[in-house]
């Protein structure tokens, strides 16, 4: 599914199909709400580990009820999770989840921050997490976030005192927050940061607790609540027409790739916060008690506050433009404030409100989605003044260069339009997530520009600044240059305007498996991002691999068109692993990137430049059978991987399964979490088990415990209890405990060496108990834990076999791990000779 349709109708925003970039139109209620926020000078920072960890109820409460500037610091971008709506995994999933976080913040009113920590997968304890993350590096990022965001209060999502009871990333986020609370105000700590920011001391640190952390509701009722604050986060906002919980539900529902869409809740609901550091408020429903959150907290702010308090108390909902002169006066006074932090922050807020009360429409857009360095494009400027105020458009600058210098009176409701031509400088960087520009480590991204650290996304390459005079007062308002177009089935659509190379190339398969010495044809697709582009494509690979031709020319006439070149690659005679890189050469520039587009309706379209490469593996691998039936679950690339080693994979629609439909397959494989996400299987399970009973092989990959339809007593033909057991260290020792079983001997001999080079984990959701019919094949454990034997279980069933495995083949096969291919081939080959099922039936 590549298009997600969401309709969110609320006073503070509108999000709908393809409208993630559409300029917002603010009602008087929205403007008044923003003025309330303008007049509150307090800041809160919520800290957790991943996208979807945040408590949107509390973030929305702090932003919309308290009116505090509220941020969510997610230490990671969620790269290690799974994707329920599309194919993006790892780095690309991190890009998608970043945008879903930003979509959530557009709903709940918060802001989004990050560190350079990578979500490398499930971790059982903070010791492992902080070793892989590089504790000092990520701690420094948390300190940076605090120093730049300057929160008065910090709220941790997780408990720093309970290592080993939850995800190691979770506990680590709280532990780092505890340390950073004090270090942020220490000039000796991370002193290099002080070139770009100042020290800062938050006033209070809380843990966002609940009865769940106490073990039960009963234990929570009996607990000492001396240091607990509680707030009613079910409050209703009359001017928005929504309750806080409704807003929070809409915000969390933006995490669609994680399956977080949920119903709204309404009515009173308590949220609890335990004080960890700082002084305890006397009013236990006010996190900011005793903290000056008025304009008087800054020198010179008293006069500004008096003006803006009057605007708030006398706000004219029928005609907000009557407040324009007061708002402009407040803006003038604000520019004289010496406090850089509050001046910049409140100037931005105040300019947005001035724009809204004046009914100003300002935009700069192109009619093309992307361009290249050195190319000229048409830039369209529009401005409309929908108030009776005296507003003059003095000039327009793009990236600091004045392009429009004649002054224009913006008369009431008259559209000003201008088309200019601008040239993209040759030094302009390509559009791509900044944290993916340079290869990082297992635990951290590499970011060479320190000013970018913590930002949610790469700043847009082109910004247009409209220099406006309001009754003679200059107020510059800046807009990102966007791409605007229309579609008959969608209407007006906005997307980010991108800068891309003249051409990019793509290797179709990211992993190429050579099961013998037979050469393979390697298609390389070149895509043009400008008209009349020509050059050469060069392939590079390690020693031992032979290309029929290392370089081939290409020529493409029209932007957007593609040309596929075919190279022939011969593998070495023995087992070998290498990387194949595709490089496009145009006018002396070498481009080794593939352009990936991530397009969903609930986020702005994302352009990502990834390395144009493929892992190539020469394997000595044997297999039995040919035709594999595959029932997709939550989404994985296992079918493609199996085709790499010569299997013919047939994707099975569960609705088509009947008593005879599976007989033609040599094995039937169920994708990850199939029983969790495919409801139809509850009606088809009897046919799947009957297939095994009649001589077939059924392979079930991991499912989460108990999350399947009520019709199932069990997903296996015998008793099988799935637990939360997992082995998260991909380098953990693996013992083969069923040395004589065919599963580790035919057609490939499996040894402990076949578990070298695994990625992210060994496996997850292993069964912890099973009936005597099952034979456990492997034993493994993480450091300090009891060994588990449930990662790979096989049982005879009738004339066939049933296999359950929690091994993470869905990660290992797409990563080109040789041993994983051999073991999976053995699973598919159980009970067979080299004849396929069709051949056996025919014979």
């Amino acid at each position: 599914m590549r298009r997600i349709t969401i309709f969110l109708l609320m006073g503070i925003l509108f999000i709908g199909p393809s409208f993630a970039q559409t300029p917002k139109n603010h009602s008087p209620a929205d403007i008044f709400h923003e003025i309330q926020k303008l007049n509150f000078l307090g800041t809160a920072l919520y800290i957790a580990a991943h996208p979807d960890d945040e408590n949107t109820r509390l973030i929305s409460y702090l932003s919309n009820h308290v009116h505090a500037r509220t941020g969510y610091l997610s230490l990671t971008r969620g790269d290690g999770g799974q994707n329920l709506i599309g194919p993006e995994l790892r780095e690309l999933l991190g890009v998608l989840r970043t945008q879903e976080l930003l979509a959530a913040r557009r709903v709940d009113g918060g802001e989004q921050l990050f560190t350079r920590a990578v979500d490398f997968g499930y971790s059982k304890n903070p010791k492992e997490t902080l070793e892989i993350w590089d504790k000092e590096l990520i701690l420094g990022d948390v300190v940076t976030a605090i120093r730049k965001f300057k929160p008065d209060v910090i709220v941790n999502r997780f408990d720093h005192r309970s290592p080993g009871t939850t995800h190691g990333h979770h506990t680590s986020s709280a532990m780092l927050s505890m340390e950073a609370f004090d270090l942020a105000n220490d000039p000796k700590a991370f002193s290099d940061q002080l070139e770009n920011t100042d020290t800062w001391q938050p006033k209070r640190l809380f843990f966002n607790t609940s009865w769940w952390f106490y073990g039960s509701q009963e234990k929570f009722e009996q607990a000492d609540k001396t240091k607990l604050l509680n707030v009613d986060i079910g409050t209703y906002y009359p001017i928005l027409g929504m309750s806080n919980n409704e807003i929070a539900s809409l915000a969390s529902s933006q995490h669609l790739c994680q399956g977080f869409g949920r119903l709204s809740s309404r009515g009173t609901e308590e949220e609890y916060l335990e004080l960890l550091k700082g002084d305890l408020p006397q009013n236990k429903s006010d996190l900011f008690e005793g903290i000056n959150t008025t304009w008087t907290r800054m020198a010179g702010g008293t006069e500004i506050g008096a003006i803006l308090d009057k605007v708030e108390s006398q706000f004219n909902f029928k005609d907000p433009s009557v407040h324009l002169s007061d708002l402009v006066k407040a803006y003038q006074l604000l520019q004289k404030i010496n406090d850089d932090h509050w001046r910049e922050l409140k100037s931005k807020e105040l300019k947005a409100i001035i724009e809204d009360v004046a009914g100003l429409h300002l935009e700069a857009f192109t009619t093309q989605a992307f361009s290249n360095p050195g190319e000229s494009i048409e830039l369209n400027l529009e401005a409309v003044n929908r108030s009776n105020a005296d507003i003059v458009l003095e000039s327009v600058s793009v990236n600091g260069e004045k392009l429009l210098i004649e002054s224009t009176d913006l008369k009431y409701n008259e559209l000003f339009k201008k088309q200019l031509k601008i040239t993209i400088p040759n030094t302009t960087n390509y559009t791509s997530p900044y944290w993916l520009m340079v290869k990082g480590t297992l635990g951290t991204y590499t970011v060479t520009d320190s000013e970018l650290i913590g930002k949610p996304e790469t700043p847009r390459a082109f910004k247009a600044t409209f220099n406006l005079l309001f009754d003679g007062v200059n107020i510059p308002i800046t807009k990102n240059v966007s791409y605007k177009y229309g579609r008959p089935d969608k209407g007006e659509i906005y997307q980010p305007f991108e800068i891309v190379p003249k051409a990019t190339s793509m290797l179709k398969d990211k992993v190429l498996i050579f099961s013998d010495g037979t050469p393979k044809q390697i298609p390389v697709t070149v895509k043009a991002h400008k008209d009349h582009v020509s050059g050469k494509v060069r392939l590079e690979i390690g020693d031992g691999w032979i290309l029929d031709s290392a370089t081939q020319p290409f020529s493409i006439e029209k932007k957007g068109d593609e040309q596929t070149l075919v190279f022939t690659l011969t593998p070495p005679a023995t087992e070998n692993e290498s990387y194949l890189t595709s490089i496009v050469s145009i006018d002396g520039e070498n481009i080794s990137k593939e352009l990936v587009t991530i397009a969903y309706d609930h986020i702005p379209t994302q352009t990502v430049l990834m390395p144009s490469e493929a892992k190539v593996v020469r394997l000595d691998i044997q297999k039995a059978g040919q035709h594999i039936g595959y029932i997709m679950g939550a989404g994985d690339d296992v079918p493609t991987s199996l085709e790499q080693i010569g299997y013919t994979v047939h994707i099975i629609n569960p609705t088509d399964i009947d008593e005879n439909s599976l007989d033609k397959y040599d094995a039937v494989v169920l994708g990850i979490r199939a029983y969790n996400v495919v409801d139809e299987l509850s009606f088809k399970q009897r046919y799947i088990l009957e297939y095994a009973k009649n001589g077939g092989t059924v392979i079930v990959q991991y499912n989460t415990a108990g999350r399947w339809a009520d019709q199932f007593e069990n997903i296996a033909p015998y008793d099988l209890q799935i637990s939360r057991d997992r082995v998260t260290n991909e380098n953990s020792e693996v013992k083969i405990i069923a040395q004589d079983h065919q599963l580790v001997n035919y057609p490939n001999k499996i040894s402990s060496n076949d578990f070298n080079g695994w990625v992210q984990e060994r496996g997850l959701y292993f069964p912890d108990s099973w009936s005597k019919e099952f034979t456990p094949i492997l034993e493994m454990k993480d450091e300090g834990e009891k060994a588990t034997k449930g990662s790979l279980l096989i049982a005879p069933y009738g004339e066939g076999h049933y296999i359950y495995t929690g091994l993470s083949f869905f990660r290992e096969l797409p990563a080109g791990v040789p041993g994983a291919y051999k073991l999976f081939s053995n699973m598919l080959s159980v009970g067979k000779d080299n004849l396929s099922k069709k051949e056996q039936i025919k014979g």
Side-chain angles (χ1 to χ4, degrees):
M1 176 169 49
R2 297 295 293 174
R3 290 207 170 271
I4 308 298
T5 301
I6 308 170
F7 292 94
L8 306 180
L9 290 171
M10 55 190 294
I12 55 177
L13 75 157
F14 173 79
I15 298 176
S18 299
F19 281 89
Q21 286 289 101
T22 302
K24 299 174 186 176
N25 296 315
H26 293 101
S27 70
D30 300 329
I31 298 170
F32 179 72
H33 189 60
E34 294 307 312
I35 290 172
Q36 289 179 308
K37 291 185 177 183
L38 178 69
N39 281 334
F40 189 92
L41 277 71
T43 306
L45 181 62
Y46 199 89
I47 299 179
H50 310 110
D52 70 38
D53 280 347
E54 80 272 29
N55 184 343
T56 55
R57 299 182 302 274
L58 190 57
I59 290 175
S60 178
Y61 175 86
L62 290 169
S63 176
N64 297 303
H65 180 78
V66 178
H67 301 128
R69 183 193 185 199
T70 306
Y72 173 43
L73 175 59
S74 177
L75 268 61
T76 77
R77 296 177 184 266
D79 328 65
Q82 293 175 27
N83 186 356
L84 298 183
I85 63 173
E88 294 84 9
L89 291 173
R90 296 173 294 280
E91 298 94 342
L92 295 179
L93 178 60
V95 175
L96 171 56
R97 296 189 75 183
T98 292
Q99 290 300 318
E100 289 187 336
L101 274 173
L102 289 169
R105 299 295 79 78
R106 286 192 290 270
V107 174
D108 60 31
E111 299 178 39
Q112 189 60 52
L113 300 84
F114 291 98
T115 74
R116 285 172 287 178
V118 171
D119 178 3
F120 56 83
Y122 192 87
S123 178
K124 291 181 178 177
N125 60 75
K127 179 178 180 293
E128 178 195 52
T129 297
L130 295 173
E131 286 175 354
I132 294 175
W133 275 354
D134 184 345
K135 177 187 173 183
E136 282 302 299
L137 184 73
I138 304 307
L139 176 60
D141 285 359
V142 179
V143 170
T144 296
I146 293 172
R147 286 173 171 173
K148 288 186 175 181
F149 202 69
K150 300 188 185 308
D152 298 301
V153 298
I154 295 176
V155 181
N156 289 346
R157 184 68 180 109
F158 300 104
D159 190 353
H160 67 286
R161 299 160 296 196
S162 54
T165 61
T166 183
H167 198 319
H169 297 183
H170 293 168
T171 310
S172 295
S173 70
M175 293 169 65
L176 293 173
S177 176
M178 286 287 290
E179 284 194 59
F181 183 88
D182 298 316
L183 292 175
N185 199 38
D186 182 356
K188 295 180 181 178
F190 303 101
S191 57
D192 58 312
Q193 298 176 3
L194 300 180
E195 295 180 7
N196 299 312
T197 188
D198 301 314
T199 57
W200 179 256
Q201 182 57 64
K203 301 295 191 298
R204 295 174 184 134
L205 175 63
F206 297 96
F207 162 44
N208 186 193
T209 189
S210 70
W211 68 263
W212 187 87
F213 289 97
Y214 288 77
S216 69
Q217 189 73 47
E218 182 180 6
K219 289 181 179 178
F220 179 67
E221 295 297 333
Q222 298 171 354
D224 178 12
K225 297 185 178 62
T226 304
K227 290 191 173 183
L228 285 191
L229 276 68
N230 68 294
V231 296
D232 178 7
I233 47 86
T235 185
Y236 178 70
Y237 306 122
I239 67 167
L240 300 180
M242 299 187 76
S243 69
N244 188 73
N245 276 343
E246 289 174 294
I247 295 173
S249 296
L250 291 169
S252 65
S253 293
Q254 301 306 303
H255 296 296
L256 293 176
C257 73
Q258 301 301 295
F260 265 58
R262 63 184 176 96
L263 295 172
S264 295
S265 61
R266 298 165 181 84
T268 296
E269 186 175 345
E270 296 292 316
E271 197 72 52
Y272 293 90
L273 299 109
E274 177 189 356
L275 182 72
L276 300 177
K277 291 189 176 187
D279 61 306
L280 183 68
Q282 295 300 307
N283 180 353
K284 292 192 174 181
S285 62
D286 185 358
L287 282 69
F288 286 88
E289 184 189 62
I291 299 171
N292 186 358
T293 58
T294 72
W295 282 95
T296 62
R297 83 178 287 170
M298 68 171 80
T302 302
E303 187 178 358
I304 300 171
I307 295 171
L308 295 176
D309 285 342
K310 176 186 172 185
V311 172
E312 182 178 345
S313 63
Q314 300 179 9
F315 187 74
N316 188 326
F317 284 88
K318 290 185 177 180
D319 184 10
S321 68
V322 301
H323 302 294
L324 187 56
S325 61
D326 282 339
L327 293 169
V328 171
K329 183 178 179 181
Y331 177 84
Q332 277 184 290
L333 292 171
L334 184 55
Q335 304 320 297
K336 300 175 183 178
I337 296 295
N338 290 324
D339 188 321
D340 293 345
H341 172 72
W342 285 114
R343 185 184 66 253
E344 292 174 10
L345 180 65
K346 290 302 176 180
S347 290
K348 180 180 179 181
E349 294 178 20
L350 191 47
K351 283 197 288 186
I353 293 171
I354 288 171
E355 184 181 353
D356 286 338
V357 300
L360 271 174
H361 167 82
L362 303 169
E363 71 176 16
F365 65 92
T366 74
T367 54
Q368 58 188 77
F370 52 84
S371 185
N372 324 116
E375 187 177 33
S376 293
I377 63 167
E378 299 289 344
L379 179 67
N380 299 278
L381 303 175
E382 288 188 2
V384 185
N385 170 19
R386 290 171 288 196
S387 73
N388 291 314
D390 178 15
I391 303 175
V392 176
L393 176 60
E394 190 176 36
S395 64
V396 178
S397 303
V398 175
N399 290 11
E401 180 184 353
K402 281 191 177 181
L403 299 179
L404 182 69
I405 56 175
E406 67 267 20
S407 293
T408 302
D409 289 332
L410 297 180
K411 297 179 181 179
Y412 174 74
N413 209 29
E414 289 186 8
L415 175 63
F416 168 84
K417 294 178 68 174
K418 191 75 172 180
Q419 189 175 77
L420 305 172
K421 181 167 285 190
I422 64 172
T423 300
I424 310 299
N426 288 317
T427 56
T428 306
N429 291 329
Y430 297 135
T431 302
S432 198
Y434 71 85
W435 60 95
L436 299 179
M437 294 291 195
V438 180
K439 186 176 179 62
T441 68
L442 173 64
T444 59
Y445 298 114
T446 297
V447 181
T448 56
D449 184 350
S450 61
E451 283 296 296
L452 292 174
I453 295 172
K455 290 184 182 295
E457 56 186 343
T458 306
R460 288 290 147 193
F462 289 90
K463 297 176 183 291
T465 298
F466 294 78
N467 297 296
L468 300 157
L469 294 178
F470 293 79
D471 290 327
V473 178
N474 178 256
I475 300 179
I477 296 177
T478 299
K479 301 290 183 179
N480 288 330
V481 173
S482 62
Y483 162 49
K484 185 171 77 170
Y485 65 105
R487 275 179 46 183
D489 60 333
K490 296 290 185 182
E492 188 175 67
I493 300 174
Y494 288 79
Q495 288 181 197
F497 172 65
E498 315 281 36
I499 307 300
V500 299
K502 296 174 183 176
T504 53
S505 63
M506 179 189 71
L507 290 155
K508 177 177 178 290
D509 296 309
K510 306 311 175 191
V511 174
L512 294 159
I513 305 296
F514 292 75
S515 57
D516 54 32
T518 304
K520 284 189 176 184
Q521 290 191 324
I522 311 298
V524 179
T525 300
V526 182
K527 186 167 187 175
H529 306 302
K530 65 168 295 186
D531 292 335
H532 313 299
V533 62
S534 60
K536 294 181 179 180
V537 173
R538 181 175 79 254
L539 295 186
E540 292 184 353
I541 196 168
D543 294 339
W545 298 79
I546 301 172
L547 285 160
D548 64 333
S549 173
T551 303
Q552 291 190 37
F554 72 91
S555 181
I556 304 174
E557 287 301 305
K558 286 192 172 292
K559 177 193 299 186
D561 284 354
E562 298 177 344
Q563 182 179 346
T564 298
L565 310 175
V566 179
F567 296 77
T568 300
L569 180 62
T570 302
T574 58
E575 291 196 346
N576 185 289
E577 295 181 48
S578 186
Y579 280 89
L580 180 67
T581 301
S582 172
I583 302 170
V584 175
S585 296
I586 305 171
D587 300 328
E589 181 184 9
N590 293 322
I591 306 158
S592 58
K593 298 291 185 180
E594 170 189 353
L595 190 144
V596 180
T597 299
I598 302 176
Y600 294 95
D601 284 338
H602 66 304
I603 65 168
T605 299
Q606 298 297 295
T607 295
V608 187
L609 290 171
M610 297 291 289
S612 182
E613 64 180 18
K615 184 177 181 180
V616 290
V617 182
R618 166 68 166 95
L619 278 180
D620 286 324
I621 188 170
Q622 304 297 318
K623 64 184 183 68
Q626 182 63 37
H627 294 275
I628 308 301
Y630 202 94
I631 302 171
M632 297 298 296
D636 59 61
D637 287 330
V638 171
T640 301
S641 299
L642 297 181
E643 289 173 341
Q644 286 276 354
I645 55 174
Y647 283 105
T648 304
V649 180
H650 309 265
I651 302 300
I652 299 173
N653 185 338
T655 59
D656 296 335
I657 298 175
D658 59 31
E659 56 187 352
N660 299 314
S661 63
L662 303 179
D663 292 346
K664 56 193 173 188
Y665 302 121
D666 297 301
V668 171
V669 182
L670 283 84
I672 59 173
R673 298 182 61 200
Y675 288 106
N676 299 145
V677 300
V678 184
D679 294 337
E680 185 71 17
L681 288 178
S682 61
F683 307 105
K684 304 297 184 176
Q685 175 74 346
R686 61 192 180 100
Y687 298 125
I688 294 171
L689 294 182
E690 193 68 21
Y691 162 78
K693 191 174 184 179
N694 292 335
T697 297
V698 171
I699 299 171
V700 177
Q701 297 179 84
Y702 97 90
N703 284 261
T704 53
R707 296 181 182 177
W708 43 67
D710 293 337
Q711 292 93 323
F712 285 111
E713 290 184 9
N714 208 308
I715 61 172
Y718 311 112
D719 183 56
L720 182 73
Q721 300 300 317
I722 298 173
S723 72
R724 298 183 66 86
D725 289 351
R726 60 174 74 203
V727 175
T728 61
N729 186 341
E730 62 269 33
N731 298 312
S732 292
E733 181 184 6
V734 177
K735 295 181 180 178
I736 299 173
I737 56 177
Q739 292 279 355
D740 296 330
H741 198 282
Q742 61 175 320
L743 200 54
V744 290
N745 287 285
Y746 178 80
N748 304 286
K749 179 69 176 178
I750 303 299
S751 71
S752 59
N753 290 334
D754 289 303
F755 294 92
N756 295 338
W758 283 49
V759 299
Q760 191 157 323
E761 63 200 355
R762 290 297 189 196
L764 62 170
Y765 291 101
F766 298 162
D768 60 357
S769 68
W770 48 84
S771 69
K772 59 182 177 58
E773 287 83 1
F774 282 102
T775 299
I777 304 299
L778 307 173
E779 178 182 283
M780 60 186 71
K781 66 175 182 176
D782 279 323
E783 182 181 356
E785 295 188 353
K786 182 180 177 181
T788 176
K789 299 180 180 180
S791 62
L792 181 57
L793 303 171
I794 182 170
Y797 183 57
E799 298 179 11
H801 297 84
Y802 179 96
I803 298 173
Y804 184 91
T805 179
L807 293 172
S808 59
F809 288 107
F810 70 100
R811 298 195 193 280
E812 312 312 322
L813 297 183
V817 178
Y821 276 91
K822 292 181 180 179
L823 183 55
F824 209 99
S825 177
N826 281 17
M827 291 160 54
L828 294 170
S829 302
V830 164
K832 301 176 184 63
D833 54 23
N834 286 321
L835 293 177
S836 73
K837 185 90 170 180
K838 282 184 175 179
E839 290 170 328
Q840 293 177 50
I841 292 172
K842 184 178 180 180

